[in-house]
Amino acid sequence: MKDTSNHGFGSATKLRFKKSIWVLFVFLVLIVMIIPSIIIMFFGAGTASVHFNELFTASKQNQASSRFNSNQIANNTSSQKSPLDIGWISGNSINIQHLADYHNLKVVSPELAAIDNQFNLQVISAPSLTNTIRQQGKRIWTRVIIGRDTYTNVHTFLTNSKKIQEVIVKIIQSAKSNHWDGVNVDIENVSSEDRNAFSQFVKTLSDGLNKSSVILSIDLPPETIGSNNKGTPFDHELLGRYCNYIIFMGYDQHWSTDPIPGPITSLSWLKENLQEYLQTGIPAEKLILGLPAYTRIWEQNHQDHVVKNPAEPLQYVEKLVAQNHRNFSWDSTLGEYFISYTAQNVQYKIWLPTAKSFNLYLDLIPQLHLAGSAVWDLNQMNSAYWNEIF
């Protein structure tokens, strides 16, 4: 038989000890829960949000104050919420005082530099123009062209190492002194034999501009679908590596010299070309979709020969068609309207992109994860028409 003389005393002691533990536990819980509430009650919930806002503001200030180099800017494009929308300016006819009226226009590309017939770079130093553009919240990517853009002339330039070096040095110096945000190279008539020379020219220019955090973009024309970028003038893989942006010139599906009338651009054609670009080495986050602000009014004689095909601004053609009460039909494959009629023994054919068309074209940007869009050019698209689209 076990001794139970101390059993009652031991149980009572254990019970009191357990109660003390529970009281201590509850007290600690109350402290943890009540003290923060008291702090918020007396000092206000705003204190916490103020600290958060201060951190958020500081973060934004740090982002604004730090200067990314141009490669970082290009690599971060895909994370931007809004696409990069660019407007080229040809000549000096546009009223730059009203650029602010173009909503969501982020970059303006005026023609301020040209390689002349002696292969010297002629730069228009226009502080008032650049200041006006910048004051309206737009960035400046100066467009560099070659004055006589023929295959022969371009070949002569690309094979003249001395002139190439001189031009590159002057572009870099001009970008610094004129505070250009970027440089847009628009040299199109490059022959296949100059493919490597053009790539080397772009690489050397890119290396120099990158040291000054100046963005480099180049404009590339469409290639034959299915060519896979073999034996063509522009090496997509290399150019996609050297440039911050590649602008695909999504227009002149049918040229002015084309004997067969057709659209300047179309949805199916754009998509095929963009996919070809992506498959041949140009990163999506660097690829910009260039679109036309014009179309052609094709005129054919009774033998179906093209006798005239003037390029006209889209809004002008829309107005012309409406005034003459012409019937038109929607082509869902092309993503635009088609009009055909006869007047005074002349057959007229018009493929007309509208704001509806542009919405379809611009939908390719998120679908293919592209960097943005560009329009050729603002001289042919007023702010009202631009805003209807963008």
Side-chain angles (χ1 to χ4, degrees), residues 295-298 312-329 337-341 348-354:
T295 190
R296 293 190 181 277
I297 301 177
W298 297 86
E312 302 289 355
L314 295 177
Q315 60 262 36
Y316 167 80
V317 178
E318 279 191 31
K319 185 178 180 180
L320 183 68
V321 170
Q323 287 176 342
N324 288 278
H325 307 288
R326 302 297 180 183
N327 295 323
F328 53 85
S329 58
Y337 290 98
F338 174 69
I339 306 100
S340 178
Y341 62 93
Y348 292 88
K349 293 181 179 179
I350 304 171
W351 284 263
L352 179 61
T354 62

Side-chain angles (χ1 to χ4, degrees), residues 207-366:
D207 291 342
L209 291 175
N210 188 49
K211 294 176 183 177
S212 301
S213 298
V214 177
I215 290 172
L216 174 63
S217 65
I218 64 171
D219 308 328
L220 294 187
E223 293 187 344
T224 303
I225 300 297
S227 66
N228 201 31
N229 197 227
K230 302 297 183 183
T232 58
F234 304 102
D235 190 322
H236 288 180
E237 184 177 358
L238 289 182
L239 296 176
R241 190 186 309 166
Y242 302 149
C243 298
N244 300 115
Y245 296 103
I246 303 289
I247 303 179
F248 163 62
M249 301 161 62
Y251 35 87
D252 286 332
Q253 179 179 351
H254 287 263
W255 290 82
S256 60
T257 55
D258 200 324
I260 302 174
I264 299 301
T265 190
S266 65
L267 180 62
S268 52
W269 181 77
L270 288 173
K271 190 168 186 178
E272 286 178 339
N273 274 278
L274 289 170
Q275 289 174 333
E276 181 97 357
Y277 266 54
L278 295 172
Q279 291 167 2
T280 53
I282 297 179
E285 66 271 15
K286 291 187 175 186
L287 185 55
I288 293 173
L289 171 59
L291 295 170
Y294 65 94
T295 190
R296 293 190 181 277
I297 301 177
W298 297 86
E299 300 179 23
Q300 291 178 291
N301 59 22
H302 59 88
Q303 296 177 326
D304 291 336
H305 293 157
V306 174
V307 294
K308 200 175 180 181
N309 56 4
E312 302 289 355
L314 295 177
Q315 60 262 36
Y316 167 80
V317 178
E318 279 191 31
K319 185 178 180 180
L320 183 68
V321 170
Q323 287 176 342
N324 288 278
H325 307 288
R326 302 297 180 183
N327 295 323
F328 53 85
S329 58
W330 175 258
D331 189 318
S332 58
T333 302
L334 300 179
E336 57 196 54
Y337 290 98
F338 174 69
I339 306 100
S340 178
Y341 62 93
T342 301
Q344 298 179 345
N345 295 322
V346 176
Q347 174 93 18
Y348 292 88
K349 293 181 179 179
I350 304 171
W351 284 263
L352 179 61
T354 62
K356 178 180 178 180
S357 306
F358 270 77
N359 286 331
L360 294 173
Y361 303 159
L362 295 173
D363 279 345
L364 294 172
I365 294 173

